[in-house]
Amino acid sequence: MKQLINVDVIKPLAVVAVFAMSTSSLLARAEMDHSKMAQTKTDQPEIRDPHAYSDGYTLEKGPYALGGPRQIKLADEHKFWAIQGDRVEYDSDNDTGVFDVRGWYGSTYDRLYVKFEGDVASGRLEESQADILWSHAYSAYFDTQLGIRLDQYDEGVDRQWLAIGLQGLAPYWFELDMTAYIGESGRTALSLEAEYEILLSQQWVLQPRAEVSLYGQDDIENGLGDGFSDVAFGLRVRYEMTRQFAPYVGVEWTSKLGQTADIARAANESVRDTRYVAGIKFWF
């Protein structure tokens, strides 16, 4: 009888089939093991807790602790400092400038934080705002902040506030800075700021930015009304010559709102403005 099927062909195919069946079985087991290992967020210890996974042992207590003064310091126990200029820019059409500089000193968990921003016109400081805050790590991505805010007006009345804020990274890497203020005579205010960075390449970065302010009562001396006072939307593109230094150009649209806009109209001041700016962003 003539052999219809070549045995030399069948043998390799049989080996491949057995190997595939055994591999699929192993993969199925691996997937099942991964599902068992899945944890919910509530099961995980606090990420910033340095002793979260040590089962109670620390550098100062436990069977492996060294006697005498500590010789080892972990990275999160060292003190660091930084100065960051988010916006230092100039509008040549109106001969105006804006600066937004902040710095901090401290550890991973607790820092002294200073924010300083203001407007300059014709070489003169028109108004500025300084926040001096104690910053404490609340979670892996957010810090709580408590301190004071000092407002300075070239034409107006200086104000002082108690500040309580939250600053950090929201899901999808939105940078948020939210601060509530309590001032004299029951004054209240709220400031919200959000930024996002879109990487166009390794060196070109597009940065949308939004900011809105809210006041609890009228402040006629400083041209502010109760409710939403002003809003700003900006779009900047920067070129990072290094990670620490990046010139940028951009455009920013601002508008006064509600009672604040009414006060500006009564004083024959502009309510809306569009500025084309050039500036630098740096940190060290």
Side-chain angles (χ1 to χ4, degrees):
M1 182 178 180
K2 186 178 179 180
Q3 189 173 4
L4 299 177
I5 302 175
N6 191 339
V7 177
D8 294 336
V9 175
I10 294 176
K11 287 183 178 178
L13 292 176
V15 172
V16 172
V18 171
F19 177 74
M21 292 176 62
S22 61
T23 304
S24 61
S25 175
L26 291 174
L27 290 174
R29 293 180 183 179
E31 291 178 357
M32 181 174 63
D33 292 338
H34 286 168
S35 64
K36 290 180 179 179
M37 294 173 61
Q39 291 181 319
T40 62
K41 184 177 180 181
T42 55
D43 295 332
Q44 298 177 356
E46 172 53 53
I47 296 175
R48 283 192 173 185
D49 182 0
H51 308 304
Y53 299 95
S54 66
D55 293 330
Y57 297 122
T58 70
L59 291 175
E60 297 175 340
K61 65 180 182 180
Y64 307 109
L66 300 176
R70 283 182 51 189
Q71 302 296 320
I72 301 175
K73 273 194 171 183
L74 300 179
D76 56 12
E77 296 176 300
H78 288 277
K79 301 292 191 299
F80 300 96
W81 63 271
I83 296 176
Q84 178 178 348
D86 279 342
R87 291 180 300 150
V88 181
E89 58 195 33
Y90 179 68
D91 175 12
S92 58
D93 293 337
N94 300 312
D95 192 19
T96 59
V98 172
F99 62 87
D100 183 356
V101 181
R102 53 190 64 192
W104 58 264
Y105 173 79
S107 67
T108 302
Y109 305 99
D110 296 291
R111 297 174 178 176
L112 175 63
Y113 215 107
V114 178
K115 306 174 187 176
F116 190 41
E117 61 178 279
D119 298 328
V120 178
S122 303
R124 188 181 63 183
L125 181 62
E126 280 194 329
E127 61 182 65
S128 66
Q129 172 184 322
D131 290 67
I132 304 171
L133 307 166
W134 184 256
S135 182
H136 178 71
Y138 171 73
S139 66
Y141 295 100
F142 276 95
D143 294 341
T144 56
Q145 295 181 327
L146 175 66
I148 59 173
R149 164 181 155 183
L150 306 174
D151 289 352
Q152 174 272 328
Y153 293 92
D154 187 45
E155 296 179 358
V157 179
D158 296 347
R159 303 290 186 196
Q160 296 81 40
W161 308 80
L162 175 66
I164 304 171
L166 189 66
Q167 176 180 303
L169 280 177
Y172 300 99
W173 306 106
F174 283 92
E175 294 186 24
L176 297 181
D177 190 350
M178 304 167 286
T179 309
Y181 301 98
I182 303 173
E184 300 172 350
S185 306
R187 299 182 185 278
T188 56
L190 181 67
S191 174
L192 304 174
E193 183 178 332
E195 294 180 355
Y196 192 73
E197 294 192 343
I198 303 171
L199 299 180
L200 303 178
S201 71
Q202 291 295 323
Q203 292 178 301
W204 289 97
V205 181
L206 182 66
Q207 184 188 50
R209 177 180 177 275
E211 182 177 0
V212 62
S213 298
L214 178 71
Y215 287 88
Q217 59 181 264
D218 293 339
D219 185 358
I220 304 300
E221 294 88 346
N222 293 322
L224 299 170
D226 68 330
F228 286 98
S229 62
D230 57 84
V231 62
F233 296 100
L235 188 65
R236 294 168 175 80
V237 58
R238 70 174 184 266
Y239 178 76
E240 293 188 340
M241 302 176 69
T242 68
R243 294 302 181 197
Q244 290 79 29
F245 182 81
Y248 65 81
V249 294
V251 59
E252 180 153 299
W253 177 82
T254 60
S255 177
K256 297 177 181 177
L257 306 173
Q259 296 289 340
T260 302
D262 295 338
I263 295 172
R265 292 190 187 95
N268 294 322
E269 297 177 356
S270 62
V271 175
R272 297 181 179 84
D273 189 22
T274 301
R275 299 185 299 114
Y276 298 93
V277 299
I280 58 172
K281 179 183 176 72
F282 65 89
W283 64 268
F284 56 85

